Each structure stands twice: as C-alpha cells, then as structure tokens.
Amino acid sequence: MADKFDLIVIGAGPGGYVAAIRAAQLGLKTACVEKWIDKEGKTVHGGTCLNVGCIPSKALLEASHKFVEAQHDFDDMGIQAGDVTMDVKKMMARKDKIVKNLTGGIAGLFKANGVTALEGAGKVLSSKQVEVSKDGEKTVYEADNIVIASGSVPVDIPPTPLTEGLIVDSTGALEFEETPKRLGVIGAGVIGLELGSVWNRLGSEVTVLEAMDSFLPMVDQAVSKETQKLLKKQGLDIKLGARVTGSEIKGDEVVVKYADSEGDKEITFDKLIVCVGRRPYTQGLLDDDAGVKLDERGFIFVDDHCRTSVPGVFAIGDVVRGPMLAHKASEEGIMVADIVAGHKAEMNYDAIPSVIYTFPEVAWVGMNEQEAKAAGIEVKCGTFPFAASGRAMANNATEGMAKVITDAETDRVLGMHIVGQHAGEMIAQGVIAMEFGSSAEDLALTCYAHPTMSEAVHEAALAVDGHAIHMANRKKRK
Ligand code: FAD
Ligand code: AMP
C-alpha cells in the first residue's frame, strides 16, 4: 500500500483540478489522478475544457471573428486592410500554444499548492481505496475521501460513425488543416453552433441539421428567434426538424441522409461534424465492489451536495447531473472541497450562467419567460434592443437585445437572457442579481457606466415597469 491521503481526486479537468487545489489550500493532504496523455506520451492536465473544449474553441472563434471583421467591418470605420487572408495552420498553431500554456500551468498550480499529481488511470475500489495504473503497473492509495471528476465524452450516433478526416466529433473539428468547402454539422446545440460559426466565417458553406423543431429551446423565445435570424444572415443554413438517419462515404465526400416533414432527403458534404451532445465518462472507473451507483442515464448518482451512494465518495462536473459546463464543474469542486474540510457549503443551481460564443454571443441565466409562465408564475419582462445603445453603435454591434424576466408580484429577477456583443460578460450581472435576490428595481436604481453595452441591462430592468429611457415607444410614467 502506497501513501494515504485526506482526499484523492480522479480527473484533472476544471472540476477535479479546482477541487484538488481548494482542498490543499484548506489544509487537506490531496492527490489528483489524471490519465490524459498528449502525442508525446506526457500526462496533461485540464481535461476536456482546456485541451479540446472551452479554450481551443474560443481561440478559433476569436480568430475567425477578427477575420470577418477585417473583411467586412473595417472599411466602414475608414480602415483599409487590403486583401485579408486566413492562414488556417497559423490559426491552429496559436490555438495549440494557448492550450499548452494553460494545461502546463496546472502542474505549476499543483506544485505551488502542495497537490500531489498522480499519473495514470484511477479506479475506485471498495473501502475508499484508489488504484492508479500506468504502463501496466498498479499502485493502490488509501483516502479518507474521494472526488470523482472523470468528465464526459462526445456522443456518437449509429447513422454517422466517425470516419478519419471525413466524419469527426468536436475534437476533430478543432483540428481541420484547411477550410472545408461544404461542411455539415449535426446538432444545433451550443457546440454545433460555435464550431459551425468558426468554419462558416472562414468560408465553408455550413448546413446544420437539427432533429428538433425548435431552436435553442432553453433560451427565451424572443432571444432565440433573434439569434436564429442573425446566424441565418451570416450564412448558417440551420435546418430544423431534420433528423439524420444515415450516411455514406463516397470517395472523399460524405452523403448524409435525413428526414424532415417533407420526407427523406440527402445532402453531400466534404466534412461532417457530429455534435449531438456528450455523455458521462465512467469507463474503467469503478470496481465492481466500489458501491458507487449510476442513474438510468449513466451519470454518477449524487445528492445536492455531490455525495454519491458511498459515504466519503463525491462526484462532480460533467459525470453528474446538471449542465455540462466548466464553471459548474469548478463550483461543485469548491463546494465539495469545503465540505470535506468540515465547512458548510451549498451550490445555487438556479444561478448557473450559460453562454454560446457565436457573434453576437448568446447568454442566459435563470428562467425564460415561457418557463416562468409554464411554472404558473405571473411575470413582468423588460427588453432593450442594442440598436438603441450608443456604445453598440460605436462598436458596430447593434444586433440583439437584453431581456430581464421578473416575478410580477415581488419584482424579483427570475432570469436574464441576452443576445449581443459581450453577452457572456454582461450575464454576470444577472447571475449576481439572482444570487443576491435582487429585484428589477435594484438593477434600475444602480448607476451604470456610460457608454457601455451593459447599459442595455439597466434599460431592460427599467423597461420592466415601462420606464426605459432610450426607447421611443416606452409606456407613460404613472
Ligand atoms: P473534463 O473536463 O472532461 O475532465 C475530466 C478529466 O478526467 C479528463 O482530463 C480525463 O482524462 C480524466 N479522467 C477520466 N477518467 C479518469 C480516470 N479513470 N483516471 C484518471 N483520470 C481520468 N463549457 C463551458 O463552461 N464553456 C465553454 O465555452 C465550453 N465550450 C466547450 C466546447 C467544446 C468543443 C466542448 C467539447 C466542451 C465545452 N464545454 C464548455 C464543456 C466543458 O468542457 C465541460 O463541461 C468541462 O470540461 C467539464 O469538466 P469536468 O472536470 O467535469 O470534466
Ligand atoms: P447539445 O445536447 O446541446 O449538445 O445538442 C445536441 C443536439 O443534437 C440536440 O439539439 C439534438 O436534438 C441534436 N440531435 C441529436 N441526434 C440528432 C440526429 N440524429 N439528427 C439531427 N440532430 C440530432
């Protein structure tokens, strides 16, 4: 038997590495096990988020957006950029450098905080033991507590089996070496829209096939409608109600079969990205005697405090229920570390923001108007279009709107849904408002810097009572 720890964390993604650092900071003897290896066979930390998720996708979104701006928006501002071209290989090299910087930094954070980094695949045994295997060697460690943070992997569907270089998942779509002429994306979820946007901006003809009839059903209808319109204007052909049923490789093309309300159809692409969601990853993780139960969808079953069915064993992040988001994983990691260290800790699952990093960004927190009404709540909403914002005009970003949803009786903020430039930054105001139990009036009485995009949130809060300042059609003051 090797070392004994107060806490062993399995997985060093944004859930696991944050939990490990927090626990060590609180004085717990902590180890973190990671099995991800790079092309050179070295262990890398950071999980999906840093390696093949949040960070590389944002690096490509930023570069491709700047490319579009330089081509189409600079001229209007008097900037003559000449012939603008994109070197895809260079864009990819920059993305890889950012990923390397960040993933490499975690080893430094572990060292600085006294977290022991264990390399290899972790398996939960009975009696809170963790077996770590690497290159055929197995070591068993004991722990008073275990946190499972093993994350998720892309879902694949039988009609479109992954095919090297032709049918890829989100990871493959972050590695294209050139811009495909005709690109298919299955799934109009967050990841599908982001990756579709990257390649659309670089010149691909992008068709998104989405089985559902509704577009972004989790987002307020006014905001999702506006988003759909804006993405269509950019050239994304989003086909709703189009269920992919099969595919065939013909030479270096992919023929995709799908069914919509008119019947069976076919469409040919040069590359196809499958973005139909992610599933919890528990392969090889639990010994038969571990006692940790899964739910019917394969997620590790946990309570509100991320406790599994085994006392002292916790699970966080994508491998448990709730939104598959990096910041949700990290917050759960902090909560669990605090609990293990003997503190009281809670997570507010009602105030987790979501962002789609398209242009403009879509961001939301809490309920949308339709959900609130369906829950029997009488609501009052305020909206403000960026078309009426001075800063949006100066920024060349007048598309979109901010919407505040409140309880008509108490004025309490129930949700905020925004589509607009920097919506992902602005949504923090909605999160803080909800955390603090604020009313729309609280937001309305707050002094916002001028000129900022955030003033749209102020105006939307004022509009809840019909008192927006910069809207011509506002209601008369009573
Ligand atoms: P992961 O990040 O998946 O990490 C799990 C880690 O555990 C991995 O490193 C894995 O190797 C390791 N592991 C698994 N099993 C074992 C084992 N038995 N032993 C040792 N190690 C093990 N979220 C956002 O919030 N914002 C975004 O902008 C965003 N963009 C995304 C874009 C894409 C293309 C994708 C795919 C995802 C994106 N996400 C985004 C989702 C985000 O990446 C995940 O929600 C997040 O990474 C989950 O964190 P986690 O720690 O639970 O798991
Ligand atoms: P998300 O879960 O947000 O990543 O989104 C995945 C999307 O893929 C969902 O909107 C699903 O409806 C969609 N989807 C799943 N299977 C298919 C399919 N066979 N054809 C088209 N869309 C699909």
Side-chain angles (χ1 to χ4, degrees), residues 322-367:
M324 285 183 163
L325 293 168
H327 43 280
K328 175 262 193 184
S330 299
E331 286 311 306
E332 286 181 333
I334 288 177
M335 171 179 75
V336 164
D338 286 0
I339 292 171
V340 171
H343 302 291
K344 280 214 166 86
E346 293 279 340
M347 194 60 209
N348 181 1
Y349 284 96
D350 292 333
I352 298 173
S354 297
V355 182
I356 310 177
Y357 295 84
T358 44
F359 190 89
E361 290 176 354
V362 187
W364 67 99
V365 60
M367 285 194 237

Side-chain angles (χ1 to χ4, degrees), residues 70-377:
Q71 281 178 311
H72 304 295
D73 300 342
F74 281 8
D75 189 55
D76 187 38
M77 294 181 175
I79 305 168
Q80 306 293 320
D83 255 357
V84 183
T85 56
M86 168 55 86
D87 180 340
V88 172
K89 288 201 175 76
K90 203 162 175 186
M91 174 182 77
M92 290 296 177
R94 170 183 176 268
K95 174 221 34 157
D96 292 341
K97 196 168 158 203
I98 295 167
V99 167
K100 205 164 180 192
N101 272 345
L102 283 169
T103 53
I106 292 174
L109 290 175
F110 277 175
K111 212 165 172 194
N113 287 284
V115 175
T116 303
L118 300 174
E119 297 182 357
K123 185 185 225 178
V124 182
L125 309 178
S126 60
S127 318
K128 282 187 275 178
Q129 292 181 341
V130 175
E131 176 193 275
V132 178
S133 347
K134 194 175 184 214
D135 304 329
E137 276 190 32
K138 292 181 177 176
T139 313
V140 175
Y141 297 88
E142 257 185 74
D144 288 333
N145 299 276
I146 297 170
V147 175
I148 299 169
S150 54
S152 63
V153 287
V155 167
D156 38 22
I157 48 173
T160 52
L162 298 193
T163 309
E164 178 76 34
L166 281 178
I167 306 181
V168 300
D169 58 16
S170 59
T171 302
L174 296 168
E175 299 288 340
F176 290 165
E177 285 177 356
E178 53 189 35
T179 306
K181 190 168 175 314
R182 295 160 304 174
L183 175 68
V185 178
I186 310 181
V190 177
I191 296 175
L193 292 177
E194 289 187 358
L195 293 173
S197 290
V198 167
W199 296 106
N200 175 53
R201 292 167 188 175
L202 299 185
S204 294
E205 288 162 25
V206 178
T207 307
V208 183
L209 301 167
E210 167 55 57
M212 281 189 304
D213 291 323
S214 54
F215 181 67
L216 297 177
M218 58 290 201
V219 179
D220 190 275
Q221 265 171 30
V223 172
S224 63
K225 235 173 150 176
E226 178 76 3
T227 307
Q228 193 180 354
K229 194 182 84 192
L230 295 174
L231 294 179
K232 190 176 168 200
K233 205 169 112 193
Q234 291 168 20
L236 278 182
D237 181 7
I238 303 169
K239 296 189 190 300
L240 299 178
R243 174 168 292 281
V244 172
T245 52
S247 64
E248 201 182 321
I249 307 285
K250 285 193 179 161
D252 45 13
E253 294 181 337
V254 187
V255 179
V256 173
K257 300 175 201 317
Y258 68 96
D260 67 12
S261 57
E262 294 165 355
D264 293 338
K265 294 188 176 161
E266 279 189 5
I267 184 165
T268 303
F269 299 116
D270 299 302
K271 284 199 195 296
L272 178 68
I273 316 176
V274 183
C275 291
V276 294
R278 298 181 59 83
R279 61 181 169 80
Y281 181 65
T282 53
Q283 197 182 315
L285 176 75
L286 304 169
D287 192 57
D288 291 346
D289 301 332
V292 175
K293 292 204 173 88
L294 305 184
D295 70 15
E296 65 284 353
R297 294 187 304 152
F299 290 91
I300 294 183
F301 177 79
V302 288
D303 68 9
D304 286 349
H305 293 94
C306 293
R307 292 187 174 95
T308 70
S309 46
V310 177
V313 179
F314 298 80
I316 60 171
D318 281 11
V319 79
V320 304
R321 83 287 173 265
M324 285 183 163
L325 293 168
H327 43 280
K328 175 262 193 184
S330 299
E331 286 311 306
E332 286 181 333
I334 288 177
M335 171 179 75
V336 164
D338 286 0
I339 292 171
V340 171
H343 302 291
K344 280 214 166 86
E346 293 279 340
M347 194 60 209
N348 181 1
Y349 284 96
D350 292 333
I352 298 173
S354 297
V355 182
I356 310 177
Y357 295 84
T358 44
F359 190 89
E361 290 176 354
V362 187
W364 67 99
V365 60
M367 285 194 237
N368 61 45
E369 183 180 349
Q370 299 72 43
E371 281 167 348
K373 283 183 173 161
I377 304 169

Side-chain angles (χ1 to χ4, degrees), residues 27-47:
L28 300 172
K29 187 180 175 195
T30 306
C32 186
V33 194
E34 177 54 64
K35 70 172 183 177
W36 196 306
I37 47 169
D38 64 14
K39 286 170 193 149
E40 286 125 44
K42 286 204 193 101
T43 301
V44 275
H45 299 115

